[in-house]
Amino acid sequence: MIQNDHVETLDFTTDGGLGTRARFGLVVLQTDQTIEHEFARIFSKQDDVAPYAARIPNTMDVSPETLRQMAADLPHTAALLPERFGFDVIGYACTSGATMIGEDRVDTLIRGVHPAAKTTNPITACKAAMAALGLNRIALVTPYPVDVTLAMQANLREAGYDTTAVATFDQSDDFTVARISADSILKAVRHIGNRRDCDGVFVSCTSLRALEVIPLAEAAIRKPVIASNQALAWHMMRLAGLNDAPENCGRLFQASLR
């Protein structure tokens, strides 16, 4: 056995690292099975954009109480995203959680750890998306129990958006939500989106596998379709000053912030 007691020290140079155009932080639910897959699809062809995720504790059971409990862990989870990375935008990836905790409080909790970063979440992103697309009357599709769904409807109405129709899969088990088929989501969007009294459809929940059905749904109802993961990715990109338009991700990516 030959032992070499000399280790050569090598010269090196450094560059800007990954994400020279934008660095995104993402607070993902412990139970979420979908958003990282859909974000990878959205960002796969976006040069020099780097998303980094940290998972926040939550339970499989979805209720107003369990959703609000995440506020206690949000600062710690946000701190798992190293501030030195220089995040442009940090997203809290829970539509119902942001609704129950409060969008302003989510922003305050994250910015307490990352004061230089912009923040968003899917319900805030949804409102920005509806404004960008000029939508006022929206049909809402959720997987949540009725009480959580009604809270989201109230949130949108308070923001000035008329939810003319609401439908839910009425599931409190987040594991089941991620197993709802794309065909079921498409059927729901076509059913509710064909109403004459809505300008578009919002499919809420980062666990729902909605991204793949958006082009088919928009073609079927001839209206914009917004989904939580799509809207969050779009809003993070626009907040970072990126005007990229990934293919097959819906009309939303043709829009700019208003």
Side-chain angles (χ1 to χ4, degrees):
M1 184 177 190
I2 299 175
Q3 184 174 359
N4 186 351
D5 59 2
H6 175 71
V7 177
E8 181 180 359
T9 300
L10 302 172
D11 293 331
F12 64 91
T13 61
T14 61
D15 56 24
L18 296 173
T20 54
R21 290 177 68 219
R23 294 186 182 93
F24 297 139
L26 197 63
V27 176
V28 178
L29 268 60
Q30 179 180 346
T31 60
D32 196 301
Q33 303 171 60
T34 305
I35 189 169
E36 289 160 320
H37 170 77
E38 294 196 340
F39 262 49
R41 178 176 170 181
I42 292 170
F43 289 115
S44 63
K45 295 183 179 180
Q46 311 312 301
D47 293 336
D48 296 325
V49 175
Y52 299 91
R55 293 215 165 212
I56 187 169
N58 75 302
T59 68
M60 285 288 183
D61 179 59
V62 178
S63 72
E65 294 73 28
T66 59
L67 291 167
R68 292 188 187 104
Q69 286 175 4
M70 280 187 279
D73 290 308
L74 191 48
H76 171 73
T77 306
L80 296 176
L81 298 166
E83 186 179 4
R84 191 174 178 185
F85 282 18
F87 292 104
D88 297 283
V89 185
I90 295 178
Y92 169 57
C94 185
T95 325
S96 54
T99 299
M100 292 300 174
I101 295 169
E103 297 157 77
D104 290 342
R105 189 179 180 202
V106 168
D107 173 74
T108 298
L109 291 170
I110 294 175
R111 286 174 56 80
V113 182
H114 296 276
K118 297 176 182 177
T119 78
T120 186
N121 61 78
I123 191 68
T124 298
C126 167
K127 294 171 187 176
M130 289 190 290
L133 291 168
L135 306 181
N136 294 308
R137 302 177 303 168
I138 196 79
L140 174 63
V141 176
T142 90
Y144 314 125
V146 171
D147 54 353
V148 176
T149 300
L150 289 174
M152 185 163 295
Q153 180 188 30
N155 181 300
L156 292 171
R157 283 184 169 173
E158 288 173 9
Y161 295 101
D162 186 10
T163 50
T164 57
V166 183
T168 177
F169 296 116
D170 195 17
Q171 290 297 311
S172 60
D173 180 9
D174 204 32
F175 187 85
T176 300
V177 171
R179 296 298 199 272
I180 294 173
S181 69
D183 284 344
S184 296
I185 298 168
L186 177 59
K187 183 178 179 181
V189 173
R190 292 180 66 173
H191 168 72
I192 202 168
N194 276 321
R195 295 171 56 109
R196 293 183 179 180
D197 60 355
C198 73
D199 305 318
V201 178
F202 174 44
V203 183
S204 179
C205 190
T206 61
S207 284
L208 281 178
R209 291 176 286 148
L211 182 66
E212 64 185 276
V213 309
I214 290 175
L216 293 173
E218 290 186 330
I221 67 174
R222 299 182 180 180
K223 300 172 185 176
V225 176
I226 302 167
S228 287
N229 292 337
Q230 170 221 35
L232 183 61
W234 168 84
H235 199 215
M236 293 175 76
M237 290 170 66
R238 297 301 183 261
L239 287 174
L242 304 182
N243 293 314
D244 302 38
E247 295 181 357
N248 299 317
C249 292
R251 297 187 197 180
L252 177 57
F253 280 99
Q254 305 301 321
S256 301
L257 282 177
R258 286 190 179 181

